[in-house]
Amino acid sequence: MAKTIFKWDYSDYPGAKIYPHLFKPIQIGNLIIPNRIKYTATEENLNGLDGFVTDQGAAYLGERAKGVVGGLCFMQGVYMDEARMGQGYVGQAAAWDDKFIPGLKRLADAIHDARAVAGIQLMDCGRVGAVDVEYGHGPSAVPQRLRIFRPMKEMSKDEIKEMIQQHIDAAKRGVEAGFDVMEISGIVGYLVSNFVSGYTNRRTDEYGGDIRGRMQAVVEIIQGVKTVIPEDMPLGIRLCSEELLDDVRGNTPEESMESYKIAEEAGVDYISCTLGWQESIYPVISRDIPMGNWIHLAKRAKEHVSVPVSMAYRLFKPGLPNEKIGAGELDIWEMCRPMIADPLMPKKVLEGKEEEIRHCVACNLCLARLFRDAPMTCYINPICAHEANPEFAAPPPAEEEKEIMIVGAGPAGLECAYVAAQRGHEVHIYDKRDEIGGTLNEARHAPYGDDELWTCVEYQKVMCEKAGVNFHLGTEVTEEVIEDEMPDSVVLATGSVYSKLEVPGGDSDKIVYLADVMSGKAEVGEKVVVWGNRKPGIGCALHLAKQGKKVTLAGKDKTAGFDVNPSFKWRYMIYMRQNGIVAYNDCEIVEIDDAGIVVKTYDGYQWPIKCDTIVLADREPNESLKKAVQSEGIELFVVGDALIPRNLSSAVHDGYRIGMRI
Amino acid sequence: MPVDAEKEITRLWKALHSAQDEIGKTYYRWRQVALEFAGDDVKSLDVALRAAEVFGKDIGKSILPRMNWLKGEEGFMMILGKTLAGLWITDGGLATVEKGEDPGEIFIKCTRDPWPTWAKEFGVPMEEVAICRERMYQSILEDVSVFMNIPLKIELQKAIPRGHGETVMRLYKAE
């Protein structure tokens, strides 16, 4: 008789009728899981540097536990060696000693408080570990491809046995802490995947050789862990279905599927289907990869094993996983980034409130932060990693209800508007355009997935409507309007203006604005210089290059895409190369004439660039109403690009913070 | 256009040549300091070879991200050969790559080598130049060999001490 931990009845929920396959139970091993949703183990760097769980970490996970509405919720992977060679993140939780059990229990309790199934993951980071020690460990000492990772030391047989025992001991601690499901991490370059891959495992003893030999350590971990966990505690493993390491002679897909079969034979109760390594040269999860791009791998995995198969990887919306589960091509919908962006995402699906979901925009800022030893944050969710701070996570009602005028219905203004309105203020948002969204209306036309950015505005619109925000679209706010309305507070979310070129020829009729180009209003010639080498300029340059134009990107910043996080920037650099875009960075325009422009590099070299169109993408704050508001003695706040031209994330975060402070 | 193209190009050339000069000078300054630390009992060639190893090891790490097996063994060897020749070209040399008879064999030929000139400036014996170049390339290949799991070798086949004529190195997969 399989065990049920919490009983859930979804029959009355609208989401269960729309997505019936997501909200039906599944048996994994001897445990019944009420639905098909899993928040997968995700590092967040919120724990202490000593590996102990913190209030922030517990609160972060507690929110995600509410989101899975009875499904699986995993804490992050724990490292298991006192020497910390397996530690891949400065704030990674530890489980190498019994002293960590109380902290782990806090996390299990936080998940159980939400009536969800609590999972713990065992994760030695192997090749990408040793974040704070001199050497990493692995089956073979294969040099690191990426210099940010530590040099490798080959493990002796005794060290392999010790590592296996560490997994077993950590599993015992997980059981004692009260978790319901145990999982082994074998993905993206962590230790288990290092053993499995022919790229990193060159051993000739029983832990190397063919795929069966390379799986031997994994088999011993699985069998060892099975001996110390209860019969009704399922054991799963995350394994690469495709390593995407063909360029360095990694495993073939056939070998990967063989590893799945061997894991099943060894006794795992489910397999999480993953792909790609941190060293892969192919993108896997960034916004330029279409949603659902990898789902066929789950189907293939199911053709090779009989245990349930779960999968994440660009499955941000419920429709496709529901369909695939219904078709028997997937068993469990996994996610991490969608629930970083909105912890309650599946709950909102269940409750029929999909329009209230704040969707992940696949920018990978969260990952970029983790790899640089910074705490988790989210591009689009200002509350992320602040869950332990009630004033931040759920701003209290305003002490004094005010009439607030927000000028500009872009992402910064909209975010501020609904947060302030939720706190009891009377909020009026104005925009001279007839539509909301500000410059995102144009920016979303950039290629490689930027249309997904618009989900932010859709979410904000719904939240504003629910909070009772008053919209005044098609209304330009002037000094007179401010004098007439005399609000208690004004929030300037007026965005930016394009910086004029104060050089000879700066009034040339070749000059057009980025927004007009992206909206198709401006005529653009065949040879184009985009002036401004941050994200908007890159998006515009790619947009034009896709139309077959010869594009040069030039700007003041030392590198193009200075404002794009490193985990996404590399994509843009490749796309710029592929589209033949030449970039001149760290330069200024010195003259514009009939033939084109002359740029001057930081060290004094001058280059002529022929062009028939110059697109202005370089911006400065639009401060046109600042003095008018100040002269009336009205409380003034400035958010988003009106403060400093930056990106969508800054707009959202600014808006939220001011919304909770007014 | 107000740009004086000749002037701008001349300035660029000067900057490039200065940068190339610095590569050689940095190596020989490094060698000089190492010799001073090592004392009188040490052979200067041993120190120079050690310096070449250290340089080679570091360069080897930096080329790992570019190693790619997708074009098979022949393609890989050609990319690697071009990478090594590229190092020479970056220094200011003229280097080309030719396929050998065997798919795992590449010849790197340098017809203009700036290293002897730099060596002369620092009073380094000319015999040292080619040997150190060979050692540096051998060190570069150490990590590449392990990384790609291919036993790679490189050997100097012909050297013209003063940089005239042609220097030839054979890159190959050891059996």
Side-chain angles (χ1 to χ4, degrees):
Chain A
M1 182 73 179
K3 178 179 161 187
T4 299
I5 298 168
F6 297 107
K7 284 192 176 164
W8 282 75
D9 178 6
Y10 303 116
S11 56
D12 290 338
Y13 288 94
K17 294 182 176 69
I18 304 168
Y19 306 110
H21 304 298
L22 293 181
F23 297 102
K24 66 182 181 190
I26 183 169
Q27 182 170 342
I28 304 179
N30 292 318
L31 186 67
I32 304 287
I33 311 294
N35 65 35
R36 305 302 186 94
I37 290 158
K38 176 186 174 194
Y39 174 67
T40 199
T42 307
E43 297 305 312
E44 16 77 341
N45 269 348
L46 296 178
N47 298 294
L49 297 179
D50 48 12
F52 284 98
V53 169
T54 60
D55 291 346
Q56 287 89 342
Y60 172 92
L61 193 63
E63 275 303 292
R64 273 78 196 166
K66 289 176 199 163
V68 297
V69 281
L72 287 158
C73 182
F74 271 76
M75 71 164 290
Q76 64 181 247
V78 292
Y79 70 94
M80 298 157 284
D81 61 322
E82 187 178 2
R84 298 169 68 201
M85 289 170 117
Q87 183 187 4
Y89 303 88
V90 289
Q92 187 177 352
W96 54 264
D97 190 273
D98 288 351
K99 68 184 178 183
F100 295 104
I101 293 173
L104 299 175
K105 187 172 185 314
R106 279 188 71 191
L107 298 181
D109 290 347
I111 297 169
H112 288 151
D113 286 348
R115 300 178 63 235
V117 180
I120 181 170
Q121 189 186 68
L122 312 175
M123 185 172 86
D124 185 310
C125 292
R127 191 167 170 77
V128 294
V131 67
D132 215 15
V133 295
E134 210 174 336
Y135 286 93
H137 61 182
S140 306
V142 176
Q144 294 284 6
R145 186 178 216 179
L146 306 174
R147 283 201 183 203
I148 56 167
F149 297 121
R150 306 284 184 195
M152 294 296 292
K153 273 190 174 166
E154 181 173 316
M155 296 167 85
S156 65
K157 268 196 206 179
D158 285 346
E159 285 167 338
I160 293 173
K161 295 284 183 199
E162 190 184 347
M163 175 273 293
I164 292 165
Q165 190 58 46
Q166 284 164 354
H167 277 77
I168 296 166
D169 293 343
K172 277 189 216 165
R173 293 180 189 113
V175 173
E176 197 169 328
F179 286 93
D180 314 307
V181 183
M182 189 69 59
E183 186 173 87
I184 298 160
S185 176
I187 63 168
V188 303
Y190 298 143
L191 187 66
V192 163
S193 61
N194 300 161
F195 271 93
V196 179
S197 180
Y199 160 49
T200 43
N201 186 345
R202 313 274 173 81
R203 300 181 79 93
T204 52
D205 60 13
E206 67 267 38
Y207 293 110
D210 63 8
I211 185 64
R212 200 158 276 277
R214 300 201 299 272
M215 278 293 286
Q216 182 57 34
V218 188
V219 167
E220 289 181 29
I221 291 171
I222 292 168
Q223 290 173 342
V225 169
K226 280 290 232 186
T227 63
V228 296
I229 62 175
E231 277 195 5
D232 55 13
M233 183 181 220
L235 172 64
I237 189 165
R238 301 197 82 195
L239 277 178
C240 269
S241 61
E242 290 208 4
E243 293 178 337
L244 303 179
L245 291 172
D246 297 347
D247 59 318
V248 287
R249 300 195 292 172
N251 284 356
T252 61
E254 291 74 25
E255 285 176 309
S256 293
M257 286 303 97
E258 191 61 25
S259 73
Y260 275 41
K261 286 189 210 166
I262 295 167
E264 183 180 28
E265 282 168 25
V268 295
D269 299 302
Y270 73 94
I271 295 178
S272 166
C273 178
T274 72
L275 76 152
W277 276 36
Q278 292 181 9
E279 293 174 61
S280 304
I281 56 172
Y282 303 101
V284 171
I285 55 169
S286 44
R287 190 164 62 240
D288 49 324
I289 302 300
M291 285 200 208
N293 195 60
W294 307 109
I295 189 69
H296 63 282
L297 295 174
K299 183 185 176 194
R300 189 182 69 186
K302 280 189 69 66
E303 288 163 2
H304 287 83
V305 293
S306 56
V307 293
V309 169
S310 60
M311 192 173 190
Y313 294 82
R314 290 292 275 147
L315 293 177
F316 286 9
K317 295 192 174 177
L320 188 60
N322 179 66
E323 178 195 322
K324 296 297 176 187
I325 292 170
E329 296 172 13
L330 176 73
D331 294 301
I332 297 165
W333 176 27
E334 276 190 84
M335 64 194 103
C336 72
R337 289 178 305 160
M339 288 182 67
I340 293 171
D342 192 334
L344 302 182
M345 194 263 211
K347 183 170 188 281
K348 290 174 183 176
V349 171
L350 178 66
E351 292 171 350
K353 295 177 182 172
E354 278 185 69
E355 73 282 3
E356 290 184 33
I357 293 171
R358 196 195 280 273
H359 285 285
C360 170
V361 294
C363 68
N364 292 347
L365 174 66
C366 45
L367 306 179
R369 298 259 306 176
L370 296 180
F371 296 146
R372 282 152 191 82
D373 302 341
M376 167 76 80
T377 193
C378 176
Y379 189 86
I380 211 78
N381 174 12
I383 305 167
C384 178
H386 295 282
E387 290 82 358
N389 178 350
E391 297 219 341
F392 209 105
E399 286 176 12
E400 177 196 348
E401 289 179 15
K402 292 179 181 174
E403 188 183 328
I404 300 170
M405 170 188 275
I406 297 179
V407 189
L414 291 170
E415 187 74 19
C416 182
Y418 82 79
V419 176
Q422 283 174 341
R423 294 180 50 235
H425 293 303
E426 182 185 328
V427 180
H428 296 263
I429 187 162
Y430 293 75
D431 204 296
K432 64 183 175 188
R433 294 182 187 228
D434 294 327
E435 57 197 356
I436 62 167
T439 52
L440 207 53
N441 279 290
E442 289 82 32
R444 64 170 158 155
H445 297 305
Y448 304 111
D450 278 7
D451 53 328
E452 281 187 42
L453 301 175
W454 190 250
T455 57
C456 171
V457 173
E458 289 173 334
Y459 162 79
Q460 291 172 324
K461 177 175 181 276
V462 170
M463 298 310 285
C464 282
E465 287 167 354
K466 286 189 184 265
V469 172
N470 303 285
F471 284 90
H472 303 270
L473 299 178
T475 307
E476 182 164 10
V477 174
T478 59
E479 288 184 44
E480 292 73 34
V481 174
I482 295 169
E483 275 174 27
D484 288 348
E485 296 295 330
M486 282 304 281
D488 298 316
S489 305
V490 169
V491 179
L492 289 184
T494 43
S496 57
V497 291
Y498 296 106
S499 304
K500 286 189 176 159
L501 293 169
E502 306 286 353
V503 295
D507 56 353
S508 165
D509 56 9
K510 290 177 179 206
I511 298 172
V512 295
Y513 296 128
L514 179 141
D516 293 333
V517 173
M518 298 303 286
S519 63
K521 286 179 195 160
E523 270 190 40
V524 179
E526 291 308 304
K527 286 183 182 170
V528 190
V529 170
V530 177
W531 172 247
N533 56 352
R534 292 197 171 186
K535 165 71 179 72
I538 293 173
C540 182
L542 291 168
H543 174 71
L544 293 171
K546 285 274 173 200
Q547 296 169 16
K549 299 185 189 300
K550 184 176 171 0
V551 184
T552 303
L553 181 74
K556 294 177 199 163
D557 284 331
K558 207 169 177 181
T559 59
F562 172 77
D563 55 340
V564 182
N565 81 72
S567 290
F568 203 93
K569 185 175 166 178
W570 72 286
R571 303 302 309 144
Y572 280 137
M573 297 304 109
I574 288 172
Y575 287 132
M576 281 171 56
R577 254 198 323 273
Q578 286 175 352
N579 286 283
I581 297 169
V582 177
Y584 293 103
N585 304 313
D586 212 350
C587 62
E588 56 184 289
I589 295 180
V590 291
E591 187 172 346
I592 298 167
D593 65 14
D594 292 342
I597 66 168
V598 176
V599 295
K600 187 177 174 186
T601 59
Y602 74 98
D603 48 354
Y605 294 107
Q606 294 195 26
W607 295 101
I609 305 171
K610 285 182 184 172
C611 65
D612 42 36
T613 307
I614 301 155
V615 181
L616 286 192
D618 196 32
R619 304 169 297 159
E620 55 193 65
N622 178 2
E623 296 182 324
S624 57
L625 289 171
K626 205 169 170 182
K627 280 186 185 163
V629 178
Q630 284 170 331
S631 65
E632 295 292 344
I634 301 171
E635 185 181 42
L636 171 68
F637 299 92
V638 186
V639 294
D641 288 353
L643 186 64
I644 305 168
R646 288 157 292 160
N647 53 23
L648 173 62
S649 179
S650 303
V652 172
H653 284 244
D654 276 8
Y656 188 88
R657 282 166 191 255
I658 296 301
M660 62 182 256
R661 274 172 48 194
I662 300 180
Chain B
M1 287 282 175
V3 178
D4 180 340
E6 192 177 339
K7 185 179 145 198
E8 294 297 326
I9 289 168
T10 306
R11 289 178 63 205
L12 277 170
W13 273 114
K14 279 184 183 167
L16 174 66
H17 291 154
S18 300
Q20 288 173 337
D21 262 359
E22 274 309 302
I23 294 171
K25 285 177 182 169
T26 303
Y27 171 78
Y28 285 116
R29 282 188 202 117
W30 200 100
R31 172 189 175 280
Q32 211 164 30
V33 171
L35 273 174
E36 279 168 26
F37 270 112
D40 298 334
D41 299 339
V42 177
K43 286 182 187 167
S44 64
L45 181 61
D46 292 342
V47 174
L49 286 170
R50 180 73 187 122
E53 275 173 21
V54 172
F55 266 60
K57 190 86 179 163
D58 196 64
I59 295 168
K61 286 185 193 306
S62 70
I63 66 172
L64 292 184
R66 279 173 276 163
M67 295 298 100
N68 192 325
W69 191 257
L70 292 178
K71 290 183 179 171
E73 182 178 322
E74 206 172 321
F76 168 76
M77 292 300 284
M78 185 51 87
I79 291 168
L80 182 58
K82 283 182 178 173
T83 303
L84 297 178
L87 295 172
W88 231 324
I89 294 167
T90 308
D91 296 350
L94 283 176
T96 54
V97 173
E98 287 174 19
K99 280 184 195 173
E101 287 180 9
D102 184 43
E105 185 181 47
I106 295 288
F107 290 98
I108 302 163
K109 297 182 175 179
C110 180
T111 51
R112 179 188 178 277
D113 187 359
W115 284 86
T117 310
W118 295 329
K120 192 177 171 190
E121 201 178 313
F122 281 80
V124 175
M126 283 300 130
E127 299 75 36
E128 208 185 282
V129 177
I131 298 171
C132 286
R133 163 73 42 174
E134 183 184 38
R135 179 64 62 88
M136 186 186 289
Y137 276 17
Q138 285 168 347
S139 303
I140 289 171
L141 294 183
E142 278 176 21
D143 272 5
V144 178
S145 293
V146 182
F147 183 74
M148 297 302 295
N149 205 13
I150 305 168
L152 295 163
K153 299 276 181 198
I154 193 163
E155 62 191 21
L156 187 68
Q157 294 211 317
K158 185 178 165 192
I160 307 294
R162 292 197 179 276
H164 304 294
E166 190 175 66
T167 303
V168 180
M169 299 188 96
R170 176 176 171 246
L171 168 68
Y172 62 102
K173 194 178 96 173
E175 294 306 323

